Amino acid sequence: MSNSSKLPNDVLSKLPDGLPAPRDDGACDHMTGLTLPSVELPSTSGAMVNLATYGGWLVLYCYPMTGKPGIPVPDGWAAIPGAAGCTPQSCSFRDSYGDLQSLGVEVFGMSTQTTEDQVEAFQRLQLPYALLADSALSFAKALGLPTFDANGKTLLKRVTCIAKDGKIVKHFYPVFPADRNAAEVHAWLSAHAT
């Protein structure tokens, strides 16, 4: 890995300066109004979760992958627009979770990582909500989520969906910078989830 593609050591706590911003390529234009697909996904809670069965308000933030301490990120990671920032995004939802719950909102994070990798992040980051593993891309394909490839793995582009009673009413795409996403979601829900 070249030095220009390495993320700084503190990437787990904050986003580095100078990350390239993703552009809106229209890959999520179809989402508003769609029903969440009925797909069972393993979660960090140990249970299978089907988001289509949730009533009320729900936030699903999709992210490429959470880094692990001591494991290098894929080559060129910082140069991929929108790729870096999964841990800061998860931490921002963790820190906003009480405010979102006070609005009657449930939160889930989802990536194509294994449940084992997600359990590590869930525990290390002390997340109060479950992470979902879509390793087979079943949910992503059913909903038409945008993806990209890095080091031979298909990863989700960063998109956040807000659903009410199983139907997507708002989406954020592209999400940048990732650590501000929870505040944007909270602001929208504060105006609409009353």
Side-chain angles (χ1 to χ4, degrees):
M1 183 185 312
S2 70
N3 287 335
S4 64
S5 65
K6 282 188 175 179
L7 293 175
N9 291 335
D10 66 351
V11 72
L12 295 180
S13 62
K14 69 176 213 167
L15 286 170
D17 293 330
L19 290 175
R23 64 177 180 78
D24 188 349
D25 58 5
C28 292
D29 289 353
H30 67 285
M31 291 178 65
T32 301
L34 291 181
T35 300
L36 292 171
S38 183
V39 175
E40 298 245 331
L41 297 169
S43 78
T44 52
S45 70
M48 297 298 284
V49 172
N50 184 338
L51 296 176
T53 66
Y54 277 77
W57 290 98
L58 178 141
V59 170
L60 172 66
Y61 72 95
C62 304
Y63 59 94
M65 60 176 255
T66 305
K68 288 173 81 169
I71 307 287
V73 296
D75 289 339
W77 190 249
I80 300 170
C86 302
T87 297
Q89 182 182 27
S90 293
C91 290
S92 70
F93 275 103
R94 175 197 65 202
D95 297 344
S96 298
Y97 186 68
D99 292 334
L100 291 167
Q101 284 235 295
S102 72
L103 296 172
V105 177
E106 190 52 66
V107 176
F108 292 93
M110 184 177 73
S111 76
T112 60
Q113 289 175 284
T114 66
T115 302
E116 179 182 304
D117 284 341
Q118 290 182 325
V119 166
E120 185 281 327
F122 172 81
Q123 292 173 344
R124 176 172 39 90
L125 302 175
Q126 301 178 3
L127 300 179
Y129 54 85
L131 299 178
L132 307 176
D134 190 19
S135 301
L137 295 167
S138 302
F139 187 93
K141 288 176 182 173
L143 193 55
L145 291 174
T147 62
F148 68 100
D149 292 325
N151 281 14
K153 295 180 181 176
T154 300
L155 305 173
L156 299 176
K157 288 188 178 180
R158 195 178 310 280
V159 58
T160 299
C161 301
I162 299 174
K164 180 157 192 219
D165 299 328
K167 184 180 260 189
I168 298 172
V169 296
K170 172 74 176 166
H171 72 274
F172 294 84
Y173 177 82
V175 173
F176 187 81
D179 59 348
R180 295 190 195 147
N181 186 221
E184 294 172 323
V185 167
H186 183 262
W188 190 92
L189 284 164
S190 293
H192 296 88
T194 55

